[in-house]
Amino acid sequence: MSPQERRVGASLASIFALRMLGLFLILPVFSVHAATMPGGDNLMLVGLALGAYGLTQAVFQIPFGMASDRVGRKPVIVAGLLIFALGSFIAAWAPDMHWMIVGRVLQGMGAISAAVTALAADLTREEHRTKVMAMIGSSIGLVFALSLVGAPLLYGWVGMGGLFTLTGVLALAAIVLLLKAVPAAAQPAGHQKLPLRAVLTNPDLLKLNLGIGTLHMIQMAMFVVLPHALLSRGGLTAPEHWKVYLPAVLASFAIMVPAIIAAEKKDKMRPIFLAAIALTACVQLGLFLFSASLWTLGLWLLLFFVAFNILEATLPSLVSRTAPPAAKGAALGVYNTTQAIGLFIGGAAGGTIAQHFGDNAVFSACTVLALIWLVVAGTMNFPQRRQA
């Protein structure tokens, strides 16, 4: 990669990380804190406060992505981060659960993922795009693992209000980083503006959107029951789960890098992409059949993160290369909307299946989902890498 591409990748990954760190820090401690707030005894309100972010993310990804195609990536990202920061400060001040929901709704309205990934695609050459997407995806995985370790400690120091304030400050810092370190991208020229229908009905984009939705359905459903498995089968209490998560995430990065290099430098995108989906299916089958000890659970978790990180890097790269240039932001908006819907369905379905049929039924269902995805992905037309 050129020095500018490395700077773009590092800067946009940092912007994602700053925003996601604030969100992830909330998750491990929110339900505990909610019980101390007026209205926090209503579990429906608590669930709504947690889920409101994902719902408004799903609603606003496409409009923000389309807006970035028309007015530029950076103005849309700045606007989204300002809305997200406002929601964070309202949540920090919130005197009851209803105001907390308002804050979380506003946080979700700052739906910048499509604009950021579109900007990354605009500023990188095709042969290096997946590496930049891998930097962004890896930063998200890393801050997720770090939040599992740091959230209880920070909550003890500054409380929930302090965590939300930190979230807002990090979003404002991300704006400064965007304006200072990331160059502006040129607007697509010479292309007719395309209707959203052209993006929604493109067969290969549909298959990629199915893929990201399926991946996050599996992720959420799996993590509904995995903490219980780590406790009941692995003997780890909840505060100790980071001892498995953090090494698995870090080791997966080292294993993922050669695969990403091969996918781009040696033009092996198709076999590596399909192998990662197949590995996802193997992990779910392994969790279903062979997960009686902490060591086996740790192994399957490591392999899951390897597959997950490869797919998180390659999917948005494939979307950006498949979409028409004038509709890249819209296509990534649809992609991120599908991702948010997958998160919602995966969590809800995983909990329902586990409650009625047990933990292993969740792993069985995830195996079937991954195999269906593998069959669909096998029919995709993979975009050819342009020669430099």
Side-chain angles (χ1 to χ4, degrees):
M1 288 193 292
S2 68
Q4 176 174 301
E5 286 172 325
R6 286 194 291 270
R7 185 173 73 251
V8 166
S11 299
L12 292 178
S14 299
I15 289 167
F16 251 99
L18 287 171
R19 178 169 165 271
M20 298 308 295
L21 178 61
L23 287 173
F24 288 149
L25 285 172
I26 305 303
L27 296 180
V29 292
F30 183 81
S31 60
V32 175
H33 175 79
T36 68
M37 296 183 67
D41 56 342
N42 186 330
L43 294 181
M44 184 182 74
L45 291 179
V46 175
L48 184 57
L50 277 173
Y53 172 84
L55 179 62
T56 48
Q57 277 279 298
V59 170
F60 283 90
Q61 285 291 350
I62 295 175
F64 270 58
M66 294 177 68
S68 77
D69 287 332
R70 290 178 171 82
V71 303
R73 314 295 186 203
K74 293 177 80 170
V76 169
I77 295 171
V78 169
L81 286 170
L82 287 173
I83 295 170
F84 178 83
L86 175 62
S88 300
F89 294 135
I90 289 176
W93 161 82
D96 56 39
M97 193 55 59
H98 292 92
W99 274 106
M100 181 67 75
I101 292 170
V102 172
R104 292 286 288 168
V105 165
L106 284 170
Q107 280 188 314
M109 287 172 63
I112 64 168
S113 298
V116 171
T117 48
L119 181 58
D122 292 340
L123 295 175
T124 54
R125 290 167 290 169
E126 284 192 5
E127 61 266 29
H128 298 298
R129 191 166 297 160
T130 303
K131 297 172 192 172
V132 173
M133 297 301 179
M135 293 172 70
I136 294 172
S138 298
S139 72
I140 296 172
L142 180 60
V143 298
F144 174 67
L146 292 175
S147 71
L148 294 173
V149 181
L153 184 62
L154 283 173
Y155 178 69
W157 289 347
V158 300
M160 184 59 67
L163 287 179
F164 274 116
T165 299
L166 176 62
T167 298
V169 171
L170 289 175
L172 296 178
I175 294 175
V176 176
L177 180 61
L178 174 73
L179 297 178
K180 295 290 186 181
V182 181
Q187 285 291 98
H191 296 283
Q192 182 181 4
K193 294 297 182 183
L194 299 174
L196 182 60
R197 187 191 316 166
V199 171
L200 294 174
T201 58
N202 182 295
D204 289 316
L205 288 175
L206 280 172
K207 292 169 186 176
L208 291 167
N209 292 332
L210 171 69
I212 192 60
T214 301
L215 180 63
H216 283 273
M217 276 192 274
I218 291 172
Q219 179 201 24
M220 286 301 291
M222 172 183 168
F223 275 91
V224 167
V225 296
L226 191 63
H228 179 258
L230 287 172
L231 174 62
S232 61
R233 305 177 195 178
L236 282 183
T237 60
E240 298 176 302
H241 287 183
W242 68 268
K243 296 177 182 178
V244 176
Y245 293 144
L246 187 58
V249 170
L250 295 178
S252 72
F253 294 158
I255 299 171
M256 173 193 74
V257 170
I260 296 299
I261 292 174
E264 291 209 318
K265 199 167 186 179
K266 300 181 180 179
D267 202 16
K268 300 291 185 183
M269 181 67 77
R270 180 185 181 88
I272 288 173
F273 184 79
L274 295 178
I277 300 174
L279 180 57
T280 302
C282 289
V283 167
Q284 300 306 314
L285 185 62
L287 287 167
F288 176 62
L289 296 175
F290 309 109
S291 57
S293 70
L294 181 60
W295 286 106
T296 53
L297 286 168
L299 172 63
W300 296 127
L301 194 59
L302 167 62
L303 293 176
F304 172 78
F305 279 123
V306 171
F308 182 83
N309 287 331
I310 291 172
L311 293 165
E312 277 284 300
T314 53
L315 277 164
S317 176
L318 288 169
V319 170
S320 70
R321 290 160 60 182
T322 302
K328 197 182 299 178
L332 285 162
V334 175
Y335 168 87
N336 283 284
T337 297
T338 312
Q339 181 185 64
I341 292 170
L343 288 168
F344 173 75
I345 294 175
T352 301
I353 293 171
Q355 182 168 346
H356 290 92
F357 305 104
D359 291 1
N360 266 357
V362 174
F363 299 134
S364 178
C366 288
T367 303
V368 173
L369 279 176
L371 290 173
I372 293 172
W373 179 19
L374 181 60
V375 171
V376 173
T379 68
M380 280 176 47
N381 296 307
F382 284 74
Q384 294 297 311
R385 180 168 64 90
R386 294 196 184 104
Q387 299 300 317

